Amino acid sequence: MSVLSREYFHNEVAAFEHVESILWPNGPVCPHCGNNDRIYCLEGVRSKPSKKNPEGVERHGLKKCAACRKQFTVRMGTIFEESHIPLHKWLQAIHLMCSSKKGISSNQLHRVLEITLKSAWFLSHRIREAMRTGVFDTPLGGNGKIVEADETFIGHKKGFEKKGGGFGHKMTVMSLVERGGDVRSVVLDRITKKGIGKVIADNVHHESRLMTDTAAYYKKRGFAVASHEMVNHHKGEYVRDDVYTNTLEGFYSIFKRGMKGVYQHCAEKHLHRYAAEFDFRYNNRMARGVNDSERALNALIGVSGKRLTYEGPDFV
């Protein structure tokens, strides 16, 4: 049986029950006052009549708090809030984005989910925001562990012209990966020794072995790590014992195939969300025992507190 035959992908009541079981594992919590004691379920309540729905639409999952007397659903305070898209279609979209290794375009979501292209584009960005942590409290690596650092250039910066053979007109993504562990990507305004040094200092454990290529901004730098070893790609050197950056090269191959082949164009202001999407799928990969359904579940856990409006994100 197909995973997409699960009831919560097609039934709105089941969709609310599924999301509630994940976001409220110990029972409903009022988003207005935080009360989790006396919460009432309101059944049969419908929205105001409209031309499209003369009898109104049933408000699934509606609850009322006995403490503050306010109504709410599990959508409040999440990426689903104030969305007119049915919750079961949100769950379909999350699963499709999490199970597509190189991503799925807004045009494809628009056709599959039978929603407008504008809604599909907005929905996909909200899901990327749910995938993005935005906070990196734990450094990568550790005693005896290896962290690779590299960067890639993609797209075209708005207002920048190509000059010579440089990459100044392109957007820059720097990534760090702990072998066998997580990848972490950062969008840089421009690539400099100072910027590279700060990213490494903020994200790499001081007892790690750091692996890079011989780009100028890595040379003659006193990074606060146990050791810094380089491979010289210009001389055809890609592997020297356990010194290489091939883990990141593999990650970038998927990232660039997705960005060029699926998404095709990305504005600089949205690049950090696309990078977070690819980071999320890599960090929740099959090699670490995470299947498609579990990956979608992990994304769903991240929907709280990350509303994204047309004006801008509430979560930075």
Side-chain angles (χ1 to χ4, degrees), residues 255-267:
F255 175 65
K256 299 195 87 166
R257 280 181 174 86
M259 294 303 294
K260 291 181 179 180
V262 177
Y263 297 127
Q264 299 181 27
H265 172 75
C266 170

Side-chain angles (χ1 to χ4, degrees), residues 55-127:
E55 296 181 359
V57 177
E58 185 174 355
R59 298 184 65 187
H60 297 288
L62 186 64
K63 294 178 171 47
K64 186 172 182 177
C65 175
C68 67
R69 311 300 296 172
K70 293 182 180 179
Q71 297 180 1
F72 63 93
T73 72
V74 73
R75 284 178 178 256
M76 291 194 67
T78 72
I79 62 172
F80 310 131
E81 187 170 349
E82 295 187 2
S83 167
H84 296 290
I85 300 170
L87 192 58
H88 70 273
K89 289 196 175 185
W90 272 101
L91 296 181
Q92 290 180 38
I94 290 173
H95 185 85
L96 289 169
M97 287 186 68
C98 288
S99 60
S100 303
K101 191 169 186 177
K102 299 179 184 69
I104 181 169
S105 69
S106 296
N107 262 301
Q108 186 71 19
L109 287 173
H110 146 65
R111 294 191 297 270
V112 171
L113 301 179
E114 296 184 333
I115 57 179
T116 66
L117 178 57
K118 182 179 180 181
S119 293
W121 182 89
F122 190 46
L123 171 147
S124 61
H125 272 300
R126 282 188 170 187
I127 295 172

